Amino acid sequence: MINFLANPARFLKVSKIATPLMGWACLAAFTYGLWLALFASPPAVDHGHGVRIMYIHVPAAWCALLAYALLTIASLISFIWRHPLADVAARSLAVPGMAFTFLALFTGSLWGKFAWGTWWEWDGRMTSVLVLLFIYMGYLALWQVTPDHRRAARLASILAMIGFINIPIIKFSVDWWDSLHQTATYSSPGAPGTSPEIFLPLLTMALAYSLLLGWLSFRSVEAEIIRNRAQREKNAPAATATIEAL
Amino acid sequence: MSKLFPKINSIAGVSVDALALSRGGIELFRDITVRIASEEILWIHGGNGIGKTTLLEGLCGLLRPDRGRIEWRREHAPCQPSDIIAYQPHLSFAKAVMSTHEELTFWAKLHGTKALIDSALDNVGLTPKSHVPCGKLSAGQKRRLALAKLIISQKPIWIMDEPTAAIDKTGRDMVDALIRAHIERGGGAIIASHNPARALGLKVRKLTLEAASLEGTR
Amino acid sequence: MSVSLIKRDIILALRSGGAWLYGLFFFGVFIALSAIALGGSHELMRPIAPALIWLALIFSAMLSFPSIFSSDFDDGTLVQFKLSGMSLLSLCIAKAISFTMLSILPLIISVPIAALFFDLPAHVTFACMISLCLAAPAIAIYGTLAAAILAGRRSGGFLIVLMTTPFLVPLLIFGLEAVSDYKAEGLGALEFRVLIGLSLIGASVGLPAAAAALKAQLE
């Protein structure tokens, strides 16, 4: 699969079909998912209609992690095989990944106001998602400040992989810290139980988010390939050399 | 002199095959094929910004080729660039607060050539300045110090970026004499310069980088 | 080889006209400003003093991170290190050690003075110093890694703070828990061992990554 898509021209051919497919599927999943989440599913026993925030919040958090996992895989491929398309893929995943992280934090904060009465609670989950946002920000900033594309790709992939190794450590420390400091037990978001009325909209929304992630990153890989091509045509022709004995 | 320039018995060389290098995503030159071996000088000419320094860095193994290959060889076996190459870049890489002698001692330690420090300083005419901090040296004196570092590395291939920039007339003769001594003992040199190539009575070639005509490449 | 690199870094720092002490000044200023902002009441400050000391040290270290490779990168020394055949891993180890000695150790030594400002009991001061000592290798290593990744970038200063923050969060958490558990459990408290573990993980992961980043900067 990776080898097949590795050629930019072939990627463009595949994405010409796959990208609109993902886009429409994403729209359909969102329509169905949002209808389920906002109208069809019952309000929760103890939280009423506020539980509907969860259908936006939980899949966003999942997809933020999914995007980072995919970004790490792309970085690994980029680092080992120096694959230019893998660099572009990693970078393209980072922007939606950061957006999902932000969305998860934003909706988490809304949930916090609703369920706990504060906009922000330093609970383990929210803190670790906040740290994930920092990792995404550092990663994208590194791409911004490094002018040479190949060098940026290598440095960014090192950062992404080290970040990935550290995520469990950060998660562990934050949860541990949280368990010491929490005074009251909150009903933690993201534990929706197993009832099918809740599970179905959650899964549909998660599917919609994943499709959105796929659509956005395919689109930006496409754009990057086309931009590179245009750049190459615009550049002055390279110099050549003549050699003579003196 | 003979202490600084012992005979190099192993043959070293760099071969470049259809090389293309780019900087900041822009390809600077392509299709360069050239071989440099012991007892040879290759002068590299070309206008500002055409890629002389980029080519030198490529030859030092500091840039990854876009296309083509660079191979470093010692005794006909492939080796690392660090095995055979000494690079005198345009930057002086001297710490302002270190004295000339200390600076040279540090690098001599890295190369395992501590015995050569004093005669190297003497040969580039810096003995009177050996206790002056590098930050107080003039531009020309800094180039001389860089030359001394080149000598103490005792590597067979010298790669030099504008070795005579900021150097006076007697200094230029000294640079020429040092290069000749290095070639005669079996070394090789690749020199980028705006000054006209000097034959120095040796086997010399000239590589000129020139912008490709627009029609030629489209 | 590493020893002569460390020696050189120390000589360069000592001859820098006191520039290596700026981190220490910052540490002092941070503590003084915190105390002023908190109204100077010992009762209020005593429980949060270890956190302030930790923060002062981490921020001071972060401000020093860019200097780990910046001058060697800018003047071409790194290129020469590579061409001398030196292993980039031992270069990174040497840099992490000299950073610990020049930019962290002086701060840890001055923790007792900072403790005077907060009227901290001796056992808290001691626990603070021990926890900082155990975390110092990890702080230096992640700083070396970020400095290697950002070598040659003009805007590296703020970015390096952003980039190292995620890696320093676990150290901050366990470091401060170690201080608060010291009174009950002494040096046997679990957190001290966790800090050692974090430093070991940093060494085994961060140093090779820093060497790889330097390699990427030089090819």
Side-chain angles (χ1 to χ4, degrees), chain A residues 82-166:
Chain A
R82 293 176 185 270
H83 223 295
L85 207 61
D87 313 337
V88 177
R91 188 188 186 176
S92 305
L93 282 160
V95 179
M98 189 166 96
F100 287 142
T101 314
F102 183 77
L103 183 65
L105 283 176
F106 183 74
T107 49
S109 153
L110 288 181
W111 168 262
K113 184 66 187 164
F114 174 78
W116 309 328
T118 52
W119 290 109
W120 186 271
E121 198 59 51
W122 286 98
D123 106 302
R125 248 176 242 271
M126 282 181 81
T127 312
S128 47
V129 174
L130 182 67
V131 176
L132 184 65
L133 183 71
F134 291 155
I135 295 181
Y136 271 123
M137 274 159 44
Y139 178 85
L140 279 169
L142 178 59
W143 271 104
Q144 283 305 316
V145 299
T146 314
D148 185 276
H149 179 93
R150 278 186 304 182
R151 192 164 288 170
R154 274 191 96 58
L155 296 171
S157 65
I158 292 171
L159 183 66
M161 290 187 290
I162 295 298
F164 186 77
I165 295 169
N166 271 277

Side-chain angles (χ1 to χ4, degrees), chain A residues 39-240:
Chain A
F39 303 107
S41 68
V45 184
D46 44 350
H47 294 303
H49 284 291
V51 76
R52 301 192 194 285
I53 297 171
M54 284 300 105
Y55 300 124
I56 308 290
H57 171 77
V58 175
W62 284 350
C63 278
L65 282 175
L66 174 71
Y68 198 83
L70 293 175
L71 190 159
T72 309
I73 294 170
S75 296
L76 189 71
I77 294 168
S78 150
F79 188 79
I80 296 177
W81 290 287
R82 293 176 185 270
H83 223 295
L85 207 61
D87 313 337
V88 177
R91 188 188 186 176
S92 305
L93 282 160
V95 179
M98 189 166 96
F100 287 142
T101 314
F102 183 77
L103 183 65
L105 283 176
F106 183 74
T107 49
S109 153
L110 288 181
W111 168 262
K113 184 66 187 164
F114 174 78
W116 309 328
T118 52
W119 290 109
W120 186 271
E121 198 59 51
W122 286 98
D123 106 302
R125 248 176 242 271
M126 282 181 81
T127 312
S128 47
V129 174
L130 182 67
V131 176
L132 184 65
L133 183 71
F134 291 155
I135 295 181
Y136 271 123
M137 274 159 44
Y139 178 85
L140 279 169
L142 178 59
W143 271 104
Q144 283 305 316
V145 299
T146 314
D148 185 276
H149 179 93
R150 278 186 304 182
R151 192 164 288 170
R154 274 191 96 58
L155 296 171
S157 65
I158 292 171
L159 183 66
M161 290 187 290
I162 295 298
F164 186 77
I165 295 169
N166 271 277
I167 282 177
I169 301 172
I170 294 165
K171 181 91 182 93
F172 162 69
S173 62
V174 168
D175 284 348
W176 190 84
W177 166 75
D178 184 42
S179 68
L180 284 179
H181 289 260
Q182 214 164 44
T183 42
T185 43
Y186 300 115
S187 66
S188 188
T194 47
S195 127
E197 293 100 71
I198 294 173
F199 216 56
L200 183 66
L202 207 54
L203 274 186
T204 318
M205 286 302 284
L207 181 70
Y209 274 74
S210 311
L211 284 168
L212 182 63
L213 176 67
W215 183 69
L216 285 171
S217 39
F218 264 60
R219 290 277 305 200
S220 68
V221 172
E222 266 178 3
E224 188 69 32
I225 291 174
I226 291 165
R227 193 179 312 136
N228 280 349
R229 257 186 213 172
Q231 184 71 42
R232 216 172 304 143
E233 276 164 23
K234 211 172 63 191
N235 285 341
T240 48

Side-chain angles (χ1 to χ4, degrees), chain C residues 105-120:
Chain C
L105 215 54
L107 308 189
I108 298 180
I109 292 171
S110 51
V111 164
I113 301 170
L116 291 180
F117 289 118
F118 293 128
D119 191 26
L120 276 185

Side-chain angles (χ1 to χ4, degrees), chain B residues 60-64 82 85 87 89 91 93-95 97-99 102-103 106-107 110-111 155, chain C residues 1 4-5 8 11-12 15 71-72 74-77 79-86 218-219:
Chain B
C60 294
L62 299 170
L63 287 173
R64 189 163 280 270
S82 58
I85 287 196
Y87 178 41
L91 296 163
F93 68 98
K95 302 289 180 195
V97 294
M98 291 296 210
S99 79
E102 284 171 322
E103 184 69 23
F106 174 76
W107 291 100
L110 278 188
H111 293 293
K155 301 274 176 70
Chain C
M1 191 152 59
S4 64
L5 278 170
R8 180 176 154 97
I11 292 173
L12 284 173
R15 290 189 191 166
S71 90
D72 281 350
D74 292 343
D75 68 9
T77 301
V79 162
Q80 298 296 327
F81 281 154
K82 190 185 180 201
L83 282 174
S84 74
M86 174 192 292
L218 298 174
E219 67 171 27

Side-chain angles (χ1 to χ4, degrees), chain C residues 20-131:
Chain C
W20 68 288
L21 286 170
Y22 294 167
L24 194 58
F25 297 159
F26 175 87
F27 181 75
V29 167
F30 186 99
I31 299 235
L33 282 183
S34 309
I36 293 168
L38 291 168
S41 137
H42 284 312
E43 275 62 49
L44 182 67
M45 290 190 298
R46 205 170 292 124
I48 55 171
L52 291 174
I53 289 171
W54 257 83
L55 278 181
L57 185 130
I58 280 188
F59 280 129
S60 164
M62 278 175 164
L63 287 178
S64 310
F65 285 158
S67 67
I68 296 179
F69 287 116
S70 60
S71 90
D72 281 350
F73 187 88
D74 292 343
D75 68 9
T77 301
L78 276 184
V79 162
Q80 298 296 327
F81 281 154
K82 190 185 180 201
L83 282 174
S84 74
M86 174 192 292
S87 116
L88 294 177
L89 183 61
S90 51
L91 173 64
C92 289
I93 294 171
K95 287 288 181 182
I97 293 174
S98 54
F99 182 84
T100 311
M101 289 167 69
L102 288 165
S103 301
I104 302 185
L105 215 54
L107 308 189
I108 298 180
I109 292 171
S110 51
V111 164
I113 301 170
L116 291 180
F117 289 118
F118 293 128
D119 191 26
L120 276 185
H123 67 91
V124 178
T125 313
F126 179 71
C128 243
M129 289 173 79
I130 296 294
S131 67

